Amino acid sequence: MRQMALIGFLQAQNCSNFAASWRHPDSRTDFMSADFYRHIGKVLEAGKFQLAFFDDRLGMPEFHGGRYTEAVENGIRCVKMDPVACMMAMGMATERLGLGVTYSTTYYEPFHVARMFATLDLMSNGRAAWNIVTSLNDIEAHNMGRDSVLEHDARYDRADEFLEVVLGHWDTWGDDALIVDKASGRFADASKVKRLDYSGSHFRSRGPFTVPRSAQGHPLLIQAGQSGRGKRFAAEWGEMIFTYTPSVEVGRKEYADLKAQCAATGRDPNSMLIGALVHPVVAETKMEAEDKRAELDKLPLEVDSLMLLSEALNFDFGSKPLDQPLTDEDIASMSGLQTIRDRVLKNAGTKNPTIRDFIRISGRGRLNNPWVGGPKEVADMFEEYFTAPACDGFVVGATCVPGTYEDFVRFVVPELQRRGLYHKDYRGATLRENLGLARPDVGAWRNVKRGAA
């Protein structure tokens, strides 16, 4: 029987992806301690989650006049630590939980990323994953010494080359290159270690690479492209795709579309898993869960939405009155997460929505469409989406840390297991084994038809 994957959605910061979560009376405040991440890892592993991954941005939210006071005063994602270090604390406390980290293709060098993640994969015994992003706003660009962010599609063109370099390096050691024979004095077979000698429009990298292959071959590739160009990138490269599906009907259509695009590249659609973002609010009974939801709805502030929309769309949402229609020029200048802009334009009933329309329709900064109920009600929603099919699994976002994860493992996981929708134990030692994905052969990624999706 087909079984779902569960992924914990994490932040190396003062809040979860629900920016108001730090204000919850039960959220832990020691988010700068290793124990905070160790505890979350242990909870997710007790629930047999296959993977936890850290989202990341390379800057603090601000209005585009450079004003960051509101972000600091209100704790709107103003702390962002390096997720690799936090992930390693989690990895040291667990044995089977997959460990994913976001790293940008826009501002790092491919060799550095290849070495970082290959090493993480070895240190975690084959449990590492790389969440591939293209940085999306001018705040990040300024922090990294650039004047402005790259244009949307150009970021993906550059990312294609970045992936060619990273996977090229990961493939330069044969699986049997290491010998490590003290008696003969022979460490490795040099004929099985190649130079990459890559030269493209954006990158050059020679090699030889300095990290052998891991137990799972190479780290899992996570991607969240939702735009047309982003979907093509996801279909060509992604092994776990992170999506947002506002309804089961939309989810079913998007699922079929992504799988078809994957097949068009020559890949097996089953080699790409799709995980839908959900925010479960669960308790022992539906009434208790609804009470929790009511408390959560008191936490967000209007400024949360304004700053997070500014960050995501690279446009100053603090620059105009809330109810003044945005001009055509305003709309055209929005970059970043274009799916947010497009969703608002589709549902606002006008081509010139207001900032209040963006807050209302996007749900940015607010608890958007949570799944609320007792174990049965929440499991019913998981089963409906999974069997549609609208996804292969779920990315579980937290509204209270670590309480959301603890409640989910306590109440929902046993119900999903009882229904046969979710495993009772891990399949193996590596992340790929636990997701049911094959170990990649050296050079297998080169068989994909780029631009065909």
Side-chain angles (χ1 to χ4, degrees), residues 61-91:
E62 64 180 40
F63 294 123
H64 288 262
R67 196 171 81 242
Y68 57 85
T69 302
E70 289 88 343
V72 175
E73 291 287 341
N74 295 289
I76 307 170
R77 300 190 188 173
C78 60
V79 172
K80 289 185 174 73
M81 297 177 289
D82 192 302
V84 171
C86 298
M87 185 272 278
M88 284 308 299
M90 184 176 287

Side-chain angles (χ1 to χ4, degrees), residues 260-297:
Q261 289 194 51
C262 180
T265 72
R267 295 177 60 193
D268 178 358
N270 293 321
S271 70
M272 182 182 77
L273 303 179
I274 298 171
L277 174 63
V278 295
H279 288 94
V281 179
V282 61
E284 192 167 3
T285 67
K286 184 176 181 180
M287 184 177 295
E288 289 176 284
E290 288 171 343
D291 288 343
K292 283 187 178 183
R293 163 72 188 277
E295 288 301 311
L296 288 164
D297 284 342

